Amino acid sequence: MIAPSLLAADFTNLARDIDMINRSEADWLHLDVMDGVFVPNISFGFPVLEHVARICKKPLDVHLMIVQPEKFISEVKALGAMMMNVHYEACTHLNRVIFEIHKAGMKAGVTLNPSTPVSMLVDVIRDVDMVLLMTVNPGFGGQKFIEHSIDKVRQLRRLIEETGSHALIEVDGGVNVDTGRRLVEAGADVLVAGSSVFKADSPEAMIRQLKSL
Ligand code: DX5
Ligand code: ZN
């Protein structure tokens, strides 16, 4: 599956870019919320996303790069989001946060920074619907893919098989046709792609190409 990241869209032409996503073969729309505390950047927040949600026809995959993400479960739910991803590093009581996301009627994803090992997931892997592996340090689009991520996808695939978990593997950061192909070979289910889609001559054709990997 492919989830284009709105972070790389043209913010002066959001309606046009979301229209393109609606027409495309994209499976989900990936939305990156940053708070300037958990990550060294601020992107957009709920007032903007409410408008995005109103016109987007694809399921919303919300990636919260914020401290205390549990404070915003009802706001994410109000968007009609399909998936709420919280960072492992931002949740002291991750088990409770996952339970609360499910109680709100959404799928729950847990996200790992590049420096957090896959083994930290052992006690939550059966409870989550997705693991989002960061393949760059979160906070910015257009960064260089971290090669070690390929090993991490393989390790995570093994953990999912060993535990009988139903979690999907999503990867985020520096995904293009080359890295995307290798990530899929290693076991990734969902590719997030920002720059490679929106900077392409034809974003729709790029989405199709990434989806065929
Ligand atoms: C980075 C975000 C990503 C970002 C990816 O912190 O989580 O979703 O949009 O951008 P690219 O695909 O350009 O690396
Ligand atoms: Zn993201």
Side-chain angles (χ1 to χ4, degrees):
M1 288 191 276
I2 163 92
S5 165
L6 194 73
L7 192 64
D10 176 353
F11 290 173
T12 61
N13 282 297
L14 272 185
R16 183 200 65 192
D17 284 2
I18 292 166
D19 248 15
M20 180 279 291
I21 300 284
N22 285 342
R23 282 195 314 270
S24 77
E25 291 177 25
D27 294 278
W28 303 341
L29 177 62
H30 185 82
L31 299 169
D32 291 298
V33 179
M34 304 179 189
D35 66 354
V37 179
F38 183 72
V39 288
N41 196 11
I42 297 176
S43 53
F44 39 68
F46 294 103
V48 174
L49 293 183
E50 278 163 26
H51 293 266
V52 169
R54 228 172 276 159
I55 58 170
C56 184
K57 299 198 175 85
K58 303 284 179 173
L60 304 179
D61 175 35
V62 178
H63 175 196
L64 296 179
M65 284 161 273
I66 65 173
V67 297
Q68 298 185 308
E70 67 278 3
K71 282 188 179 171
F72 295 95
I73 293 174
S74 58
E75 280 82 352
V76 177
K77 174 66 187 170
L79 294 175
M82 176 265 313
M83 178 80 73
M84 174 164 164
N85 298 287
V86 298
H87 268 261
Y88 169 87
E89 303 84 2
C91 298
T92 308
H93 301 289
L94 183 58
N95 179 279
R96 178 185 292 144
V97 180
I98 293 165
F99 176 78
E100 286 174 357
I101 295 171
H102 281 152
K103 204 167 84 182
M106 293 180 285
K107 291 188 186 295
V110 58
T111 310
L112 296 187
N113 279 335
S115 60
T116 304
V118 165
S119 59
M120 302 313 273
L121 295 171
V122 167
D123 290 317
V124 295
I125 193 69
R126 292 172 195 79
D127 301 321
V128 292
D129 302 291
M130 189 165 81
V131 176
L132 168 49
L133 287 182
M134 289 311 301
T135 48
V136 298
N137 285 294
F140 304 91
Q143 301 183 85
K144 192 176 175 303
F145 180 76
I146 297 173
E147 278 299 326
H148 175 59
S149 310
I150 302 281
D151 286 335
K152 283 181 79 172
V153 173
R154 284 201 199 101
Q155 290 166 19
L156 178 55
R157 180 51 65 205
R158 207 172 310 132
L159 179 66
I160 288 171
E161 273 163 19
E162 281 167 11
T163 55
S165 159
H166 64 272
L168 292 170
I169 301 178
E170 184 177 52
V171 287
D172 184 7
V175 174
N176 54 34
V177 174
D178 166 49
T179 56
R181 180 175 294 120
R182 293 187 289 127
L183 286 161
V184 169
E185 274 167 18
D189 300 298
V190 189
L191 304 176
V192 175
S195 321
S196 63
V197 164
F198 285 95
K199 305 274 179 280
D201 290 339
S202 167
E204 274 189 78
M206 180 53 71
I207 290 169
R208 202 174 312 123
Q209 196 179 352
L210 289 168
K211 214 176 136 66
S212 71
L213 294 177

